[in-house]
Each structure stands twice: as C-alpha cells, then as structure tokens.
Amino acid sequence: MDDKTSGRNGWKQDPAGVRKNILAVAMAEFAANGLSGARIDEIAAKTNTSKRMIYYYFGDKEGLYGRVLEEAYREVRAGEQELELDHLPPVDALRHLAEFTFDHHNRNPDFIRIVMIENIHHGAYLEKSDLIRSLNAGAIQKLEAICRRGREAGLFRDDVEPLELHWHISALSFFNVSNRATFSHIFGDRLFSADRQQLLKKHLVKMVVGLALI
Amino acid sequence: MDDKTSGRNGWKQDPAGVRKNILAVAMAEFAANGLSGARIDEIAAKTNTSKRMIYYYFGDKEGLYGRVLEEAYREVRAGEQELELDHLPPVDALRHLAEFTFDHHNRNPDFIRIVMIENIHHGAYLEKSDLIRSLNAGAIQKLEAICRRGREAGLFRDDVEPLELHWHISALSFFNVSNRATFSHIFGDRLFSADRQQLLKKHLVKMVVGLALI
DNA sequence: ACGGCTTTGTACGAACCGGTTAATTTCATT
DNA sequence: AATGAAATTAACCGGTTCGTACAAAGCCGT
C-alpha cells in the first residue's frame, strides 16, 4: 500500500491490498457516521487509493456497506473462535464465555456501532448475507455444548435454553458499550471506570449462572 | 390541525398545534431514518404545514432533531411517572419496576430507536439539553427508594446500588427491542413470540432480584 | 384598528454527493 | 514484444437537499 506514495509514476498493482485498505477505512467511517452519514468522498480521501476504485471493487455505497458489515462480523467471530471451553466444567465454561463476551464487546466498539447501525436499518443488509448467518450459527454451538454438559451433570435446569442464555449475555455486554454515551451524559460515568466494569462483569456472571443453575 | 384542511381561506392560528404536528412527524422520520437519513422535505410533506414553518419554529435540521430528542424522553418519562411503588414491599416493587420497564420499552420502539441514533452520535445533542438530564435524574429516584427500603428490611445486600440495577434492567429491556432485527435474522424469531417474551421478562426479574437479595 | 405574530406559497440557489465517463498504466500470457 | 484484461487515475455530471428570499396575507390581543 505504501507503494502508492512512492512517486507520481511507477505504481504497483495490489488488488487485495487496495480492497483491504478501502474496507478498513470504510468500516471506521461507517461506524463513526452511519450508512447515510458516511461520505464516499471522505472515505476515498482517507484511503491510499481513489473514489473510483471504491466503485470499481464494491459497486456502490450500499455494496461497500454490505461488505463492511460482513467483514465486521468475520473479524469478531474470528476472535471468538479462539476460546477453548471443552476442558472446563460447565459452570466455569459458562462463566468464561460470559466474561469473554463482555470483554470482547468492550474491546470492539466499532463492531458494536456497526451492529447498532444495522439494527437501525432493520437488518436489511445483513439479510442479504448468507455468510453472516453461517458465521453466527456456529457462535451458539459453544453454548449448546455447555448447556448439554451442565444438564447431564445435573447442575443446570432442564429447561435452560442456549439461545436465551446467549440473549442475556449479549444484552448486558452489548448495552454496556452501545448506550454508554447517553447513559453517562445522564447519570455520569461512574459505571465505566475499570474497577466498576470488573464489578459489572462479575454481576453479569452471577446473574447468568444463577439463571442456568437449578 | 384539521382546521388547515378546511379550505383555502379561513385558517386558525395554532402555534402549539403546528409545533406538535411537526414534532410528531419529525420523530417518526428521525426514528425511521436517523439524523442524516431523514429528509426535511419528506418531513414537511407529511406535515399539515409547510417546510417554511419547520425553519420558522426550529431553525434548522439539527435544532429540530434536538427538540425531537427532548420530546421523546419527555413522553417516555411521563409514562414512567404513573408507576406507584411505595405501597409495595421492596421485592415486589423491584419486580414491578423491572416488568414495567421491559413492557414499556417493548411498547415504545420509536423511543428506543431515537436513543440508538443518539448513541451513534455519541450523545452530542443530548449533551446540549439540560431538560433531559433533569428528567432522567428523577427516573432513578424510584429505584433509590426501593433499595433503601430493601436494605432497611434486611432483604437486600448492603452494597446494592440503584444505578447498577437500573443499568441491568435497562440493558435487558433495551436490547430486547434494539437488537431484534439482527438477532432474529441470525437466530430466528423464536424469542419474540408473546409467550417467550413473557418468559424473558420473568427471567429478567429473576436475575435482577437475585442480584439485589442477600 | 393597530401591530406584531403566525401562516401560506413558491421559487431558487449553492453546496453537496453519489455515481460515471474516459483515458492511461500495469502485468501475466503467449 | 504484442496483446488484452485487470487496475488505476483524473475530471466531470446531474440530481438531491438544506436552507433562504421574497411576497403576501390572515389572525388576535390590546
């Protein structure tokens, strides 16, 4: 990508690099300004390439947004894959998963913002992507395994449902990032110091485990 | 407002009505399309009055958005005021408050969307409004009273904090509306039938009460 | 009936912005 | 080294959209 800056003439072809560069810049811009708020010219300006290349590779603004959406999910789910829970007892595994989700969301505010934006659009662009659906289908398998083991060990209630646990864990972890702006403007930022965040995480675990246990 | 439709001549002055009409239409448009996505011309067209009046009363687009934001909070907090909890024992009061919040958010998706949009904008417009801050400061007093009574009765932990309880209740109730689109596209809409929503609400109460009790 | 506030209507401009046209350069293949 | 597809550059276009200008007139408290 730096090849581009090396003089008026003498550029190198680098399709993959150009695409990647555009996607990265676009993700930041869409996350910052939303779909209609983001400006193609602004994205182009922050790129190592030109506006024309955006249209060359992504067709139009919505096409670009769609790819950004996919990339955002891909990156985040890739991070989640690294989690190894099978060797842990069910309760520990559940705690680990909840703690990881909480921290992971905290570390990826741009992903949270993209998902917020996509929800504003009623999931219209996510609907078009089979890739994302398949990516996420796997995301809940960890929870299914934990619940199965928990039930078999007689620890969890018979009617715990992985999907619902995922719902609660996501809610508390997601909201913790997504609504920080309005909440802190109204109630102060007391809840967002490092130690208070640790406490919130601890309570998240307590609530979720409490819901799963008999 | 219907006065306006009753013929070319013979209109009545109704500043309050005109303002109200504009605000209602604008709220729907901003909730549907976001700040940059909403179109002033579109808002004007759906109004009983004209674009000229929007600028007459609200200055510019951002001014209009700011008033819509205030109005959204005002309406929702007004609904919450009606809740009477002082006569209930602490645990019942907490359950009632949580159930009410869950249902209330479910009933007011446009408010949820406005808050989502405002969070996308980092709360920049909410920051300008002292009104909203004072509106919401009162929203947590109910919870403070409940916690105080719960502690005095020896039912609640000494370190339960009203603000954190509010955080958890809000998270689960808010996310339940805000992220429905993406979640249901990925995992199906199993969780959103009437009876499953009742169950989620029940579990919300279980988790929050469980966190407050000793 | 005076005068300020409110309302109507229309037309317009100027910036903005998504998207295109067209020409040029790289590079793998032969 | 010829060739053609892929990649890249640069300038440009036309519709959209916020906001305003201008002109006129009706309502209503005092």
Side-chain angles (χ1 to χ4, degrees):
Chain A
M1 267 161 279
D2 279 355
D3 320 73
K4 303 239 142 24
T5 67
S6 56
R8 172 67 182 75
N9 284 337
W11 49 273
K12 285 257 172 59
Q13 286 190 182
D14 183 15
V18 170
R19 272 187 70 103
K20 197 173 171 181
N21 178 228
I22 292 173
L23 271 181
V25 173
M27 188 176 313
E29 282 295 304
F30 281 127
N33 305 106
L35 172 50
S36 48
R39 299 286 163 247
I40 292 283
D41 286 307
E42 187 65 20
I43 293 172
K46 292 180 178 172
T47 301
N48 294 328
T49 179
S50 66
K51 178 160 74 157
R52 186 64 188 82
M53 295 309 291
I54 295 175
Y55 288 95
Y56 183 69
Y57 282 119
F58 299 98
D60 58 11
K61 193 184 189 183
E62 298 196 351
L64 177 60
Y65 172 78
R67 294 310 182 90
V68 164
L69 187 63
E70 283 187 353
E71 183 60 23
Y73 272 95
R74 196 199 318 268
E75 286 176 11
V76 165
R77 293 305 179 210
E80 291 177 356
Q81 295 297 345
E82 296 167 15
L83 208 57
E84 276 292 346
L85 301 170
D86 294 338
H87 63 290
L88 292 175
V91 173
D92 290 329
L94 182 56
R95 173 169 54 237
H96 255 72
L97 180 62
E99 288 176 344
F100 173 84
T101 303
F102 187 87
D103 289 334
H104 200 235
H105 281 42
N106 242 337
R107 278 193 305 266
N108 293 281
D110 271 6
F111 169 72
I112 300 292
R113 294 177 61 83
I114 295 277
V115 175
M116 291 167 76
I117 289 163
E118 180 58 9
N119 271 294
I120 291 289
H121 294 287
H122 301 285
Y125 300 91
L126 190 142
E127 201 171 16
K128 297 173 188 165
S129 171
D130 295 328
L131 170 67
I132 295 179
R133 208 186 307 261
S134 60
L135 273 177
N136 284 281
I140 207 168
Q141 288 172 354
K142 289 186 168 56
L143 214 34
E144 279 167 350
I146 293 173
C147 285
R148 185 176 38 72
R149 291 197 292 129
R151 282 197 308 269
E152 286 171 2
L155 293 166
F156 290 0
R157 287 186 294 106
D158 280 339
D159 59 348
V160 277
E161 208 211 349
L163 189 60
E164 194 194 328
L165 285 186
H166 180 63
W167 182 244
H168 294 308
I169 293 170
S170 294
L172 292 162
S173 301
F174 191 98
F175 185 88
N176 183 52
V177 180
S178 67
N179 284 50
R180 195 169 292 194
T182 54
F183 199 90
S184 70
H185 279 131
I186 293 171
F187 298 110
D189 51 10
R190 211 173 356 167
L191 258 37
F192 308 114
S193 66
D195 50 335
R196 288 308 295 269
Q197 285 284 298
Q198 289 298 113
L199 195 60
L200 286 179
K201 183 166 57 173
K202 191 177 135 193
H203 289 164
L204 155 62
V205 169
K206 182 178 178 180
M207 288 191 286
V208 170
V209 170
L211 188 63
L213 290 178
I214 284 180
Chain B
M1 268 158 278
D2 277 355
D3 319 76
K4 303 233 147 28
T5 67
S6 56
R8 174 66 182 75
N9 285 337
W11 51 275
K12 286 255 176 61
Q13 282 192 183
D14 184 15
V18 168
R19 276 185 68 102
K20 197 172 172 183
N21 178 230
I22 292 174
L23 273 181
V25 172
M27 187 177 311
E29 282 295 303
F30 281 127
N33 306 106
L35 173 51
S36 48
R39 299 284 164 250
I40 290 283
D41 286 307
E42 187 64 21
I43 294 172
K46 291 180 178 171
T47 301
N48 293 329
T49 178
S50 66
K51 179 161 75 156
R52 186 68 191 81
M53 295 310 289
I54 295 176
Y55 286 96
Y56 183 69
Y57 280 119
F58 299 99
D60 59 11
K61 193 185 187 181
E62 298 197 352
L64 177 59
Y65 172 78
R67 293 311 180 92
V68 164
L69 188 63
E70 283 188 352
E71 183 60 22
Y73 271 95
R74 197 200 315 268
E75 287 177 10
V76 165
R77 294 304 180 211
E80 290 175 356
Q81 294 299 343
E82 297 167 13
L83 208 56
E84 274 293 345
L85 301 170
D86 294 337
H87 64 290
L88 292 174
V91 173
D92 290 329
L94 182 55
R95 173 169 54 237
H96 254 73
L97 179 62
E99 289 176 343
F100 174 84
T101 302
F102 187 88
D103 290 334
H104 200 235
H105 280 41
N106 243 335
R107 278 193 304 267
N108 293 281
D110 271 5
F111 169 71
I112 301 292
R113 294 176 62 84
I114 294 277
V115 175
M116 291 166 75
I117 289 163
E118 180 58 10
N119 271 293
I120 290 291
H121 294 287
H122 301 283
Y125 300 90
L126 190 142
E127 201 171 17
K128 297 174 189 164
S129 171
D130 295 329
L131 171 67
I132 294 179
R133 207 185 308 260
S134 61
L135 273 177
N136 284 281
I140 208 168
Q141 288 173 354
K142 286 186 169 57
L143 215 32
E144 280 168 349
I146 293 172
C147 285
R148 185 176 37 71
R149 291 197 291 129
R151 282 196 308 269
E152 287 171 1
L155 293 165
F156 289 0
R157 286 186 294 108
D158 280 339
D159 60 346
V160 280
E161 208 210 349
L163 188 60
E164 193 194 330
L165 287 185
H166 179 63
W167 182 244
H168 294 307
I169 294 171
S170 293
L172 292 161
S173 301
F174 191 99
F175 184 88
N176 182 53
V177 180
S178 68
N179 284 49
R180 193 168 293 195
T182 54
F183 199 90
S184 70
H185 279 131
I186 294 172
F187 298 111
D189 50 10
R190 209 166 7 159
L191 257 38
F192 308 116
S193 66
D195 50 336
R196 289 307 296 269
Q197 284 285 298
Q198 289 299 114
L199 193 60
L200 287 179
K201 183 166 58 174
K202 191 177 134 193
H203 289 164
L204 157 61
V205 169
K206 182 179 177 179
M207 288 191 287
V208 170
V209 171
L211 188 64
L213 289 179
I214 283 182

